Amino acid sequence: MKTENVMTQWGLRSLSYWMTLFIALGILFIGLRFILLPRVSVEDFGIQVCSQSDLAFGRIKGIRDMYSGLALLALLLGRMKKATAYVFTAAIIIPCMDCLQIYLNNGLDLPRMLVHGLTAVYMIITSFLLFSDTNKATS
């Protein structure tokens, strides 16, 4: 199996690049916020804090989010659009499961569920564009 890192023209002139960058920077910001302000972030997310030890879960989410943002940034900076497309598409599970967690914990909390649901839709559209860009470059 041959592994190849081919630098492409994909980058600043591509809508999918900017859409992915927006999510990467946004999730990095959210991750930092969960680490620095866990109580506020957890409550804004839609989970009630029962004790001080519950805040550890907010920090854990922050670490997960920071990793996700940094991983996407690394792929973007390397202009690895195919790898970005696969990783980004796999990450769609995160806002979907976040939306489900809000529902399971709070019932039909539309404002919070919409944030995660719309994020998932945005990511699906971005994923489609990433793969469309990838197919154009390889054909």
Side-chain angles (χ1 to χ4, degrees), residues 111-126:
R112 288 185 174 111
M113 289 178 69
L114 275 173
V115 169
H116 300 292
L118 291 174
T119 299
V121 170
Y122 177 94
M123 289 179 73
I124 290 167
I125 293 167
T126 303

Side-chain angles (χ1 to χ4, degrees), residues 73-115:
L73 283 177
L75 294 171
L76 286 168
L77 291 174
R79 294 189 309 180
M80 295 182 270
K81 67 180 164 184
K82 196 171 213 174
T84 301
Y86 283 111
V87 170
F88 193 86
T89 300
I92 293 170
I93 194 170
I94 296 171
C96 292
M97 292 293 98
D98 287 350
C99 189
L100 179 62
Q101 285 303 310
I102 298 301
Y103 176 73
L104 292 175
N105 282 282
N106 299 339
L108 199 58
D109 185 347
L110 280 180
R112 288 185 174 111
M113 289 178 69
L114 275 173
V115 169

Side-chain angles (χ1 to χ4, degrees), residues 7 15 30 35 39 45 51 56 63 66-67 94 108 118 121:
M7 295 300 281
L15 177 61
I30 290 168
I35 289 173
R39 179 174 297 279
F45 182 85
S51 70
I63 293 166
M66 286 180 56
Y67 170 78
I94 296 171
L108 199 58
L118 291 174
V121 170

